[in-house]
C-alpha cells in the first residue's frame, strides 16, 4: 500500500514520527510503501532518496535505513 501521508510506526525500541524520521535521514519525506500485513514500511521516498527499510531481529525488532540517491548526476 502506497501512502503519500506519514504513518507513524514503531519498533521494539523506537517510535518513528515524521519529525524523528526526517531528523534521522536528514531529508524531507514524500511517500512510503507498506507490504501486505506489515506494520513497518518497506520503502520510504524523500526528496533526494529512496530508502529501503531493513528489519533486523535478535532479541528486539529493530530497523536500519539504507539511502539510495533518487536523482544521481551523471557527468
Amino acid at each position: 500500500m502506497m501512502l503519500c501521508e506519514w504513518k507513524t510506526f514503531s519498533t521494539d525500541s523506537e517510535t518513528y514520527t515524521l519529525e524523528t524520521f526526517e531528523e534521522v535521514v536528514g531529508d524531507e519525506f514524500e511517500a512510503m510503501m507498506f507490504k501486505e500485513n506489515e506494520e513497518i514500511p518497506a520503502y520510504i521516498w524523500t526528496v533526494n532518496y529512496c530508502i529501503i527499510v531493513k528489519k533486523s531481529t535478535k532479541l528486539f525488532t529493530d530497523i536500519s535505513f539504507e539511502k539510495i540517491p533518487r536523482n544521481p548526476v551523471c557527468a
Side-chain angles (χ1 to χ4, degrees):
M1 163 177 54
M2 185 69 74
L3 299 175
C4 293
E5 293 183 14
W6 182 261
K7 179 181 176 187
T8 299
F9 59 93
S10 298
T11 64
D12 291 336
S13 61
E14 183 88 38
T15 297
Y16 290 92
T17 63
L18 176 60
E19 294 78 17
T20 303
F21 171 78
E22 288 181 342
E23 185 177 312
V24 168
V25 300
D27 204 6
E28 187 177 333
F29 167 81
E30 285 195 338
M32 61 194 335
M33 186 187 92
F34 288 83
K35 291 186 178 176
E36 205 170 302
N37 300 321
E38 292 288 331
E39 297 294 321
I40 295 174
Y43 304 97
I44 302 174
W45 287 268
T46 66
V47 171
N48 295 298
Y49 299 97
C50 176
I51 299 171
I52 300 170
V53 181
K54 296 182 173 185
K55 290 194 327 186
S56 60
T57 304
K58 291 183 183 172
L59 188 54
F60 298 101
T61 299
D62 201 6
I63 60 173
S64 63
F65 299 117
E66 180 179 351
K67 296 178 7 178
I68 301 169
R70 284 181 66 177
N71 301 309
V73 176
C74 297

